[in-house]
Amino acid sequence: MTNQELKNEILRLKKEKNAVILGHYYQRDEIQELSDYVGDSLALAQKAQGVEADIIVFCGVHFMAETAKILNPRCKVLLPDMEAGCSLADSCKADDFERFLEQHPGHTVISYVNCSAAVKALSDIICTSGNAEQIVRSLPADEPIVFAPDRNLGSYINAVTGRQMVLWNGVCEVHDAMEAEAVMRLKSQYPDAPVVAHPECNAALLKVADFVGSTKAMLNYVSSSPQHRIIVATENGILHQMRQLCPDKEFLTLGDGRHCACDECAHMKLNTLEKLYRCLRDEQPELTMSADLIEAAKRPIVRMLDMSRELGIIK
Ligand code: 13P
Ligand code: SF4
């Protein structure tokens, strides 16, 4: 089938089966275009909770589809490629995390949404890059906190809040490998270009960034920036939305697409048009979870959504 035929079939099957497609900003352009809703992890979780259709096709990675299932267990949740994982989630196995928590009794456990449902079930509050700082700030200053699994996001929050959260030692293999030197090389060529970065980047890179935020926050920043050129330190899938929002602006990235794909998340890119089509046609692969795990993992996610509403981050 040609790409156009695949797209037509996907739209037809979506209607026939009463399905919605939720897509993350790091998905391939053509998948973002077919998605009913494109967003960051926080917005996608919120959206999944309110889905009234029978099927959610989650175009993102495994932990995101799991979150959708936890928040809306009535829906059949499909992921075009079940192998689409996440290095952060993989860095934190539930058994190891349980032992780590035993070494830190009396701590409030905040886990970044990029973790398995089993790790969520061991946590008190979940956060995303879109609410992590405010959630931490909302807790009493002397409350001992364990933050997992992203040590870069955790140390960024420690730096901006003055806290000393205990950090799990995990990283995003894509953002952690981005180099401050590469940013500085672009900055020396284009001194007026502001740098936007995702908080999963390493501390040296975040130090040279003008703006640090979630995928959605970076999109807001670039669309309101008066600058014509912007240096972007995150996964390259976001360029699709940036170019749509700001067709006249130029976005400079750390990978050049020809010699390296160092700004590409191989997991996110496992989802393709062909797999999306087959997944809707066959209603496979389906993400399933035990009712007990759904219940246990739901509590800290719902707490995050409630806190985000109270803090005015979401409606
Ligand atoms: P956002 O929540 O900012 O969209 O980030 C998700 C992610 O996986 C970043 O690598
Ligand atoms: Fe995980 Fe990093 Fe890929 Fe985001 S970009 S899904 S954190 S590996």
Side-chain angles (χ1 to χ4, degrees):
M1 263 196 261
T2 65
N3 274 359
Q4 193 51 54
E5 285 165 344
L6 283 171
K7 286 181 190 170
N8 294 344
E9 274 302 286
I10 289 166
L11 292 173
R12 188 186 64 76
L13 286 165
K14 190 167 74 89
K15 205 165 166 196
E16 180 186 301
K17 301 197 175 203
N18 190 23
V20 291
I21 303 177
L22 302 183
H24 187 264
Y25 291 127
Y26 294 164
Q27 289 294 288
R28 295 169 188 274
D29 296 1
E30 59 275 21
I31 291 188
Q32 292 191 40
E33 279 160 20
L34 281 172
S35 298
D36 295 289
Y37 185 80
V38 187
D40 66 0
S41 307
L42 179 60
L44 288 170
Q46 209 193 351
K47 206 77 192 169
Q49 191 178 32
V51 163
E52 284 178 2
D54 297 320
I55 298 177
I56 295 175
V57 186
F58 207 106
C59 293
V61 293
H62 192 270
F63 76 82
M64 296 179 176
E66 250 183 5
T67 305
K69 183 73 187 172
I70 293 164
L71 288 170
N72 202 338
R74 181 197 57 81
C75 282
K76 183 179 255 191
V77 176
L78 308 172
L79 181 61
D81 191 320
M82 209 40 90
E83 297 299 308
C86 168
S87 59
L88 266 172
D90 291 346
S91 80
C92 192
K93 303 282 178 243
D95 288 353
D96 299 336
F97 193 50
E98 205 166 3
R99 274 193 292 277
F100 183 77
L101 295 181
E102 279 162 15
Q103 289 158 22
H104 299 93
H107 284 60
T108 297
V109 182
I110 304 185
S111 294
Y112 186 40
V113 70
N114 298 39
C115 64
S116 66
V119 166
K120 288 184 175 77
L122 295 169
S123 309
D124 297 304
I125 314 171
I126 300 305
C127 68
T128 74
S129 54
N131 58 21
E133 186 182 331
Q134 289 107 309
I135 284 185
V136 171
R137 281 190 194 279
S138 74
L139 300 178
D142 56 353
E143 186 158 330
I145 298 172
V146 163
F147 188 90
D150 188 2
R151 68 151 194 259
N152 286 340
L153 175 60
S155 52
Y156 171 72
I157 296 174
N158 275 345
V160 295
T161 63
R163 304 246 176 178
Q164 293 191 322
M165 299 188 297
V166 176
L167 308 180
W168 177 267
N169 191 17
V171 290
C172 159
E173 61 198 353
V174 184
H175 288 90
D176 189 56
M178 293 181 179
E179 293 176 347
E181 292 74 20
V183 171
M184 292 319 286
R185 275 195 296 276
L186 285 169
K187 202 71 190 155
S188 65
Q189 269 178 284
Y190 306 104
D192 292 338
V195 179
V196 296
H198 196 277
E200 289 169 9
C201 292
N202 60 63
L205 193 150
L206 294 179
K207 228 180 226 159
V208 299
D210 297 282
F211 180 80
V212 177
S214 72
T215 47
K216 175 69 183 156
M218 286 187 282
L219 285 166
N220 292 345
Y221 179 92
V222 303
S223 50
S224 61
S225 170
Q227 294 298 331
H228 167 68
R229 276 196 194 90
I230 297 171
I231 299 168
V232 180
T234 192
E235 211 275 350
N236 64 27
I238 200 159
L239 294 174
H240 182 62
Q241 296 291 327
M242 287 186 174
R243 289 180 180 133
Q244 303 246 307
L245 279 170
C246 317
D248 301 330
K249 290 185 183 169
E250 188 184 347
F251 299 104
L252 308 161
T253 58
L254 305 190
D256 61 13
R258 284 171 298 138
H259 301 110
C260 81
C262 49
D263 58 355
E264 190 161 290
C265 173
H267 304 287
M268 284 281 181
K269 286 346 191 224
L270 278 177
N271 297 324
T272 60
L273 265 191
E274 175 81 36
K275 289 181 199 169
L276 173 54
Y277 158 68
R278 275 190 269 128
C279 144
L280 261 169
R281 184 194 63 190
D282 305 338
E283 299 186 25
Q284 286 289 340
E286 181 184 355
L287 191 137
T288 54
M289 292 167 74
S290 74
D292 286 351
L293 184 56
I294 289 180
E295 216 30 59
K298 189 174 181 169
R299 185 186 33 84
I301 304 178
V302 168
R303 188 154 175 212
M304 164 187 83
L305 293 172
D306 290 346
M307 287 177 86
S308 300
R309 275 185 209 101
E310 282 160 25
L311 292 164
I313 302 165
I314 58 172
K315 289 205 183 88

